[in-house]
Every structure is written in C-alpha cells, then in structure tokens.
Amino acid sequence: MSERITIQQIPLEELVITPGSACQGCGPALTARLVFKVLGPNTIRHSVPSCPDNVTRTPSSGGEFEAGGDHVTGTWRGLKAIGREDVNVVGFYGDGGTYDIGFQSISGAAERNENVWVICKDNEAYMNTGGQRSGATPLYAMTTTTPIGPMSRGKPTPKKNVAMIMAAHSVPYVATASLAFPTDLIAKVQYGKSIKGFKFLVISAPCPTGWRFDPSKTIEVARLGVQTGIWPLYEIIDGQKFMLNYKPKELKPVSEYFKDQGRFRHLNATETAEIQKRTTDNWEKLLKLDERGEILF
C-alpha cells in the first residue's frame, strides 16, 4: 500500500490556476492543488459540471454529468492506440458527478478496469448550482432541497458509501483521503500512479459556502471530520486488502465536527446521538476490517 511521505517530499510545481473560479477557503480548489502536484504536467484532466471547474493548467476537457466514465475511457484508449500509455488520464469530478448522475458510466469504467483515475472532490452537495442535496450529503444536513422546518429535519437518509461500492467492483485501488492530511493524500496519489488499471480516490473537500462555516476554518473542519471518525482514511486493494491509515486511541465526539457548520446548527440531542452511534458502529467495523486486513464482499 502507499508509503507515507514527509512535507519535504511534496512536489513544488504548481499546476492549478490562481485564483481560478473558487470561493474563499474552497476545499475542492485546495484538493486540486495537492492532487495535481503529484500527477504532474503529463496529465489530461476531464471534468463534468462541478465547483470549481477550471482549476488546472493541464490539458482539460469538459462534458456532461452522465458520461464521466466514458470520457476518461475514450481518452485512455485513444492514447493507447498511438502509443502514449505514459499519460495520466484523470476524471476530477464532484460528488454529484460521482455518487449520483455520473455513477453509471463510472461503474462501467471500473467494471472494465480501464487504466484511468476517477478522483472525487467531495463537498457533499451540488454546490455549483446552489447547494442541493446529493447522495454524498450526510444524514440531517441542511441543504436548499432538504431545509429545516415543521416537515423536514434536513436530509432524511445517510451518506452513500461510495468508496465501498467502488471496492465491490474489485478494482486495483480505492482510497479515501482528506485535504487536512496532505501527506496521506499525496502518498495515495503517488501510489496510484504506479498501478495499472482503475483507480478511485474520494477526498473530503469542505465547502465554506454550502456548509456555512468561516472560510478560514476549511482545514480545521476537514481535520475534525477525520478525527471524529465521520471521514475515515483507508485503502482497499483489489477489492479485498484493507488498511486504515489513521487510528487514534480515541475518536473525538461528532459534536466537535458539527459545531462550526451552519448546516448542522439545528441538530438536537437525539439526532446528534443517532449520528454518534452510526459513526461509532462504523468505526468499530473498520477496526475489525483493519485487524483482519481484508474485506469479504
């Protein structure tokens, strides 16, 4: 699995456009900076509607929500036909284009084991069109389509576990990452570059606008997501070999993660306790998987 690296080993070349189309404290833009440092200039980036979009200086192509997996497949096969198998082909998509509208074509590319990357900058809603709920939106989170009122307490269903769904395709590499843990994120991208076949990486990329927190707290919010167990960091190889990358002696309470986010300001004690139990139960399952070292689908 991926080797940990030091800050000194992080590549210096910047491949993002500054300031680009991002808001202050934009998690996806910070994610792009880290990811494309590692992928390097010999990369073709594909995008579907997401936020922000025009973020890198690499050759890029955009297309419709539904066809993200098709875009990277066509590019890779075209490059292979002309003998350019050295180029990184990357779909850099948001959660709407990964978890929901684009999932079918991405699943197809995974099932065919295309030699491509799909990297999801997960800000947990359709932020580029006003913050509507997606399959990545957490339980009880407030969005513009899951408001707070007499008939609604936010999103009524839990977040889709897209990393485990992709691992069930038995692809060579699946991992989760967070922009608040840059050496872990970069190590995973570096490791993935050495693998032939389908690679999937989903990265926690908080959105100050949609999550309603101060833009100066992006890294702090992302870090608490990991420290509370809301966003565990792990790797899965060939749909079987499993390793947790961050195992604190004790997780922080989920209330620490919620405290600065306006989208969770309405939570009552019962709802917070329900999320805490779900998080604790999931963490215990992951610890057992880590101890065993494998997943049995």
Side-chain angles (χ1 to χ4, degrees):
M1 295 197 177
S2 59
E3 292 185 18
R4 304 303 92 180
I5 65 174
T6 66
I7 293 292
Q8 290 73 23
Q9 292 173 301
I10 295 176
L12 295 178
E13 183 176 8
E14 297 286 356
L15 291 172
V16 296
I17 298 169
T18 304
S21 57
C23 301
Q24 285 183 320
C26 174
L30 294 169
T31 298
R33 184 184 181 202
L34 294 172
V35 166
F36 287 92
K37 271 178 173 288
V38 189
L39 291 173
N42 195 27
T43 298
I44 295 176
R45 174 179 65 87
H46 283 277
S47 64
V48 297
S50 61
C51 174
D53 184 19
N54 188 20
V55 293
T56 68
R57 295 190 284 109
T58 59
S60 304
S61 174
E64 53 283 309
F65 255 131
E66 299 88 346
D70 301 336
H71 295 161
V72 290
T73 294
T75 297
W76 163 248
R77 293 195 179 193
L79 289 166
K80 183 179 179 181
I82 62 173
R84 288 300 309 275
E85 297 187 42
D86 59 311
V87 179
N88 299 305
V89 179
V90 182
F92 191 60
Y93 306 144
D95 49 280
T98 305
Y99 287 70
D100 298 336
I101 301 173
F103 181 78
Q104 179 178 357
S105 67
I106 292 172
S107 175
E111 187 274 331
R112 295 188 304 271
N113 197 28
E114 304 288 354
N115 188 25
V116 298
W117 275 101
V118 171
I119 298 176
C120 177
K121 43 185 175 175
D122 188 355
N123 58 17
E124 298 189 330
Y126 290 87
M127 297 306 184
N128 64 319
T129 53
Q132 299 89 354
R133 62 89 88 191
S134 78
T137 304
L139 180 66
Y140 297 134
M142 177 180 64
T143 70
T144 57
T145 51
T146 56
I148 306 306
M151 303 299 291
S152 174
R153 293 296 298 171
K155 184 175 178 244
T157 55
K159 181 184 180 81
K160 186 188 293 185
N161 193 340
V162 74
M164 288 294 180
I165 293 170
M166 295 310 299
H169 289 68
S170 296
V171 295
Y173 190 60
V174 171
T176 65
S178 169
L179 62 85
F181 291 75
T183 55
D184 175 79
L185 189 161
I186 286 174
K188 287 169 177 173
V189 179
Q190 281 185 323
Y191 179 73
K193 285 175 66 176
S194 70
I195 296 173
K196 186 172 182 179
F198 189 89
K199 286 84 62 176
F200 182 80
L201 179 63
V202 56
I203 304 170
S204 174
C207 170
T209 304
W211 295 17
R212 303 189 182 190
F213 61 83
D214 188 290
S216 68
K217 292 183 176 289
T218 300
I219 302 301
E220 180 181 338
V221 168
R223 185 179 296 115
L224 282 168
V226 175
Q227 292 172 334
T228 57
I230 292 278
W231 190 275
L233 302 179
Y234 57 80
E235 297 170 278
I236 305 169
I237 293 178
D238 296 327
Q240 292 185 322
K241 189 175 180 181
F242 180 89
M243 183 175 73
L244 268 175
N245 306 120
Y246 177 83
K247 292 185 289 185
K249 290 183 179 179
E250 185 176 357
L251 294 177
K252 292 185 177 182
V254 296
S255 57
E256 288 291 303
Y257 177 64
F258 297 150
K259 65 180 181 181
D260 289 322
Q261 300 182 52
R263 64 178 180 157
F264 291 116
R265 193 167 294 140
H266 61 284
L267 291 183
N268 58 36
T270 300
E271 292 161 344
T272 300
E274 179 185 352
I275 297 172
Q276 181 66 71
K277 185 178 187 308
R278 285 176 175 271
T279 302
T280 302
D281 289 349
N282 183 60
W283 182 251
E284 290 175 355
K285 290 177 184 177
L286 293 177
L287 287 174
K288 290 179 182 177
L289 288 178
D290 184 69
E291 183 178 356
R292 191 168 62 196
E294 64 177 348
I295 299 174
L296 301 175
F297 284 111

